[in-house]
Amino acid sequence: MEAAAGRSNRMAQSRVARYTDPPAKNGQSSPPKTRFAAMSQPPPAKSDAAKPSAVEGFKQESHFLRGEIPEELLDENSFFGKGSIQLIKHHGSYQQDNRDERKAAREDGRGKAYSMMVRTKIPGGKFSSAQMLAELALCDEVGNATLRVTTRQALQLHGILKKDLKKTIRRINEVQASTLGACGDVNRNVMCCPAPLRGDPVHDELQQMADRLAEHFAPHTRAYHQIWLSEEPEGEKQLVGGDRDPFEVEPIYGAVYLPRKFKIGIALPTDNCVDVYSQDLGLLAIEEGSTIVGYNFLVGGGFGVTPTAKKTFPALAQPLAFVAPDAVIAVATAIVQVQRDFGNRADRKIARLKYLVADWGIEKFKAKVEEYYGKPLIDPKPLEVSQFDDHLGWCEQGDGKWFYGLNVENGRIKDEDGFRLKTALYEICESLGPPLRFTSHQAILFTDIEESDKPVFEEIFKRHGISLSEDISMVRRWSMACPAMPTCGLAVTESERALPGMMDALEVELKKLGLSDEIFTTRMTGCPNGCARPYNSDIGLVGKTLGKYTILIGGRCQGDRLNWIYKDLVPAGEVVQTLLPLFRYFKQDHKKNESFGDFCDRKGLENLTGWGEQNAST
Ligand code: SF4
């Protein structure tokens, strides 16, 4: 066990440093100009005297997430005030504005075109056809006529006007779904392998654990019900719990909730489809026979980065402890409470759990969790992720039925020209009604399908111009992008709207090279916040400034290794040409069964840079 602990510590060190410390080969260090941020030191220790951030003040004064939301829902404005903008996140909504219209709106004095994103929290990605029909109807009635499957197995509506927000949240709740805690400084959607393998009790157990964790960490405040679901006048403010012990109302979070968002994901070592190392708290299940005997708890993963703040960095979660199934909730609660009490509440840039773990070190963090839990923790078992599965195509469930995994490019459900995925979903959910599941790669699984119905599904997809997953190129199938423009207020470049064009070009070039069957992940984001998890992918494309991207390479599908910067500030039109020499090199020099990411990792930055310069595409 000592050896395992030592190994864990070594892994822990590499998991924070790697992003800024590209692998040096032949003893040479990497050129500093390629480093994205000089994060070689842990963030500064939190000062006890540091003033809490403005968001902390809004939460503190909000009486458990009410604030001015009830009054502002009644005013004529198309937008919320500063405090409510922060508070509505906890209710599952972000205020946004249409960035495509900003310039014209400014010029003709209209002001910003505000609308709300509404996110439904869907633990483990399990959703019924009836729930899907409700979301589809909402996107057409009050949204922008599209829906988006998120990278955390949730669903997003975009373009909801403020006047329609209450109706939207009510309608989602009417089909037994919820937006509470989908965003904000609380535990977010709990991710879990969505494969409905009925013959394997382990997958059922994982889903049950996801549901238990989701329920346990859901906010308890009555504000959600009172504001969105009750018939009471919206302006009537009820200060329930305002004068009482805050832990009576919110037994885990207290009055100011967490310092920042908190993410949980559950995976198997043989299938890391939920990117367990990217989570604040990752649970890696350990099986014996067909039973889960416990979980390795991994802590401190997270991908948000602020380029101007060198103290920020992406990190992979580190092994903390082995936890028996009946202790999962208690240990997870202790971890959340340690983050609640010691996470940075002064500077939101370094408020995620990963900074506390980096600041303290894993041993000190573990000791504090033990103190909160009240017992010593067992060292993590030696365990690594070996595989991943995107769950696409036809798969036998183990009970005589089938599920079909449909690739949804960048998660966007829409009707556009000959591609009518939204119409196909209406038809399938109305006429066939299969239970659905969403994957963390933004795909939809249609489940419990009889053998005889398989052709019916395929016919519907084809009739509506939807390519079957098996007909989609590997490079596109394993790609994903965050929404970015025009809805995300933080985007500095295009992402969802830019990646398909790059995929078109890459498909052509990879075919010419005979590399069409290679599996590697390409993930794009419109800013360094990393919502589409670009920092452990084989290829990461991260928006750095208008129209320019940072290209990162050296991660891999298993998600257990951070990538590193290959080139910075690459114009969108040059991204594919910049990658091509690397693919040619890979074709010529890769080992048997070596993936693109492993090849880049083995060659290292200097070698690849030298090759790239000598063999630049014309
Ligand atoms: Fe917005 Fe950046 Fe997240 Fe993309 S990565 S959705 S641009 S915050």
Side-chain angles (χ1 to χ4, degrees):
M1 200 51 80
E2 251 176 46
R7 188 158 149 265
S8 296
N9 285 339
R10 284 195 299 280
M11 286 167 55
Q13 285 160 11
S14 72
R15 283 186 169 138
V16 172
R18 189 173 172 80
Y19 181 57
T20 55
D21 192 9
K25 304 292 172 180
N26 308 321
Q28 295 171 359
S29 60
S30 307
K33 67 184 168 66
T34 63
R35 298 184 181 191
F36 191 79
M39 183 56 216
S40 55
Q41 299 294 320
K46 180 171 64 103
S47 160
D48 290 340
K51 188 171 165 239
S53 69
V55 177
E56 291 300 312
F58 294 137
K59 289 186 286 182
Q60 178 78 57
E61 298 300 316
S62 75
H63 300 286
F64 300 97
L65 306 179
R66 291 174 179 80
E68 306 301 318
I69 298 173
E71 288 84 350
E72 290 182 18
L73 278 173
L74 294 177
D75 69 28
E76 297 294 314
N77 293 331
S78 61
F79 52 86
F80 285 100
K82 262 199 295 193
S84 296
I85 287 172
Q86 297 304 326
L87 297 176
I88 60 167
K89 293 178 186 175
H90 302 76
H91 298 259
S93 183
Y94 269 72
Q95 178 167 300
Q96 305 181 321
D97 71 285
N98 188 330
R99 309 224 1 220
D100 286 345
E101 291 181 19
R102 262 190 201 175
K103 189 161 176 274
R106 197 168 44 235
E107 282 168 5
D108 65 19
R110 266 184 290 136
K112 288 181 178 175
Y114 289 105
S115 67
M116 311 295 149
M117 179 275 278
V118 177
R119 185 180 295 157
T120 301
K121 201 160 81 166
I122 306 172
K126 301 182 293 295
F127 218 48
S128 70
S129 275
Q131 289 170 321
M132 191 66 182
L133 285 169
E135 296 266 358
L136 288 166
L138 280 169
C139 88
D140 279 335
E141 282 175 40
V142 291
N144 68 354
T146 76
L147 264 179
R148 198 169 197 278
V149 183
T150 77
T151 54
R152 292 191 65 79
Q153 302 178 282
L155 265 187
Q156 282 181 188
L157 289 155
H158 289 268
I160 309 287
L161 297 180
K162 180 175 159 237
K163 69 180 177 59
D164 293 321
L165 187 56
K166 178 161 181 169
K167 172 166 73 177
T168 303
I169 293 177
R170 285 185 77 137
R171 292 259 297 268
I172 289 169
N173 279 266
E174 279 167 11
V175 289
Q176 284 75 54
S178 177
T179 64
L180 176 61
C183 325
D185 296 341
V186 291
N187 177 53
R188 303 284 187 91
N189 197 38
V190 178
M191 293 172 72
C192 177
C193 176
L197 299 173
R198 315 283 189 212
D200 173 16
V202 162
H203 277 79
D204 272 349
E205 224 177 309
L206 293 181
Q207 281 288 346
Q208 285 164 20
M209 184 59 78
D211 290 341
R212 283 180 62 203
L213 286 163
E215 193 181 337
H216 180 72
F217 287 114
H220 286 216
T221 177
R222 296 279 301 150
Y224 185 78
H225 188 275
Q226 288 165 352
I227 293 173
W228 310 108
L229 310 181
S230 79
E231 299 295 344
E232 291 162 13
E234 288 156 332
E236 186 184 326
K237 194 174 185 178
Q238 298 187 36
L239 307 182
V240 177
D243 298 326
R244 299 205 312 251
D245 173 2
F247 293 101
E248 264 183 46
V249 182
E250 288 288 6
I252 298 171
Y253 298 124
V256 283
Y257 296 81
L258 297 179
R260 205 69 167 78
K261 61 184 147 186
F262 193 91
K263 297 178 176 178
I264 299 178
I266 312 172
L268 287 163
T270 48
D271 183 8
N272 184 22
C273 66
V274 303
D275 246 335
V276 74
Y277 295 104
S278 69
Q279 314 284 340
D280 291 271
L281 171 58
L283 275 63
L284 205 44
I286 298 172
E287 295 174 76
E288 272 177 26
S290 52
T291 308
I292 295 174
V293 295
Y295 299 84
N296 265 6
F297 270 37
L298 316 170
V299 292
F303 285 172
V305 174
T306 307
T308 50
K310 294 195 186 314
K311 57 195 171 185
T312 64
F313 54 85
L316 296 182
Q318 309 173 28
L320 177 81
F322 170 80
V323 178
D326 61 2
V328 163
I329 297 291
V331 178
T333 303
I335 290 167
V336 167
Q337 288 171 329
V338 170
Q339 161 67 354
R340 177 196 70 198
D341 293 348
F342 297 94
N344 194 316
R345 289 187 185 265
D347 184 349
R348 288 180 66 79
K349 289 188 177 69
I350 51 170
R352 291 282 298 274
L353 179 69
K354 63 182 175 178
Y355 298 108
L356 183 63
V357 173
D359 186 13
W360 281 3
I362 196 74
E363 290 308 325
K364 179 177 171 183
F365 181 79
K366 185 175 181 180
K368 189 55 79 177
V369 173
E370 287 173 332
E371 192 184 313
Y372 274 60
Y373 175 50
K375 289 185 221 169
L377 294 171
I378 302 167
D379 282 342
K381 308 284 184 197
L383 195 66
E384 289 297 315
V385 160
S386 59
Q387 293 170 49
F388 47 87
D389 192 335
D390 66 1
H391 303 299
L392 297 192
W394 286 110
C395 184
E396 215 275 320
Q397 292 184 170
D399 59 356
K401 295 183 181 175
W402 293 78
F403 74 83
Y404 185 75
L406 183 74
N407 177 273
V408 180
E409 189 164 21
N410 301 320
R412 186 66 69 176
I413 296 168
K414 60 184 175 183
D415 281 1
E416 195 172 82
D417 306 324
F419 174 83
R420 295 183 302 277
L421 177 56
K422 190 173 64 175
T423 301
L425 278 170
Y426 270 120
E427 185 175 338
I428 287 172
C429 293
E430 276 166 359
S431 63
L432 301 163
L436 308 174
R437 294 202 178 178
F438 303 122
T439 79
S440 69
H441 262 254
Q442 304 173 296
I444 304 174
L445 310 185
F446 300 87
T447 77
D448 293 350
I449 299 172
E450 299 288 352
E451 172 89 39
S452 57
D453 280 340
K454 287 166 71 178
V456 180
F457 278 81
E458 293 197 6
E459 187 277 327
I460 294 172
F461 294 140
K462 285 179 185 161
R463 179 155 43 82
H464 292 294
I466 300 155
S467 299
L468 297 180
S469 300
E470 42 276 43
D471 297 332
I472 293 171
S473 68
M474 283 298 167
V475 64
R476 195 180 299 268
R477 175 170 165 163
W478 285 92
S479 71
M480 59 183 186
C482 75
M485 303 287 191
T487 50
C488 178
L490 298 174
V492 292
T493 59
E494 293 285 347
S495 182
E496 181 185 333
R497 299 193 298 198
L499 193 59
M502 289 187 196
M503 286 294 123
D504 292 344
L506 268 174
E507 278 174 346
V508 171
E509 298 298 340
L510 290 168
K511 191 169 180 192
K512 279 190 214 159
L513 287 167
L515 294 176
S516 295
D517 293 335
E518 288 301 321
I519 293 177
F520 56 89
T521 45
T522 308
R523 296 176 182 170
M524 175 181 270
T525 57
C527 85
N529 273 311
C531 295
R533 302 190 293 274
Y535 299 121
N536 60 351
S537 55
D538 296 73
I539 299 171
L541 304 171
V542 175
K544 183 72 176 290
T545 186
L546 185 62
K548 293 186 178 173
Y549 296 83
T550 305
I551 298 180
L552 302 106
I553 53 175
R556 58 178 179 171
C557 292
Q558 287 94 322
D560 58 350
R561 190 170 66 209
L562 289 178
N563 50 23
W564 33 271
I565 294 170
Y566 173 63
K567 288 260 191 297
D568 204 6
L569 293 169
V570 179
E574 294 174 22
V575 166
V576 173
Q577 290 303 308
T578 305
L579 289 169
L580 274 184
L582 301 182
F583 285 118
R584 290 197 197 101
Y585 195 12
F586 171 72
K587 162 95 176 164
Q588 173 189 309
D589 221 21
H590 75 87
K591 294 180 179 172
K592 193 174 175 207
N593 296 327
E594 188 176 39
S595 70
F596 179 70
D598 285 347
F599 169 81
C600 292
D601 184 63
R602 174 168 65 85
K603 290 292 183 184
L605 178 65
E606 284 81 4
N607 184 299
L608 293 175
T609 304
W611 172 276
E613 282 166 6
Q614 282 168 23
N615 298 275
S617 301
T618 52

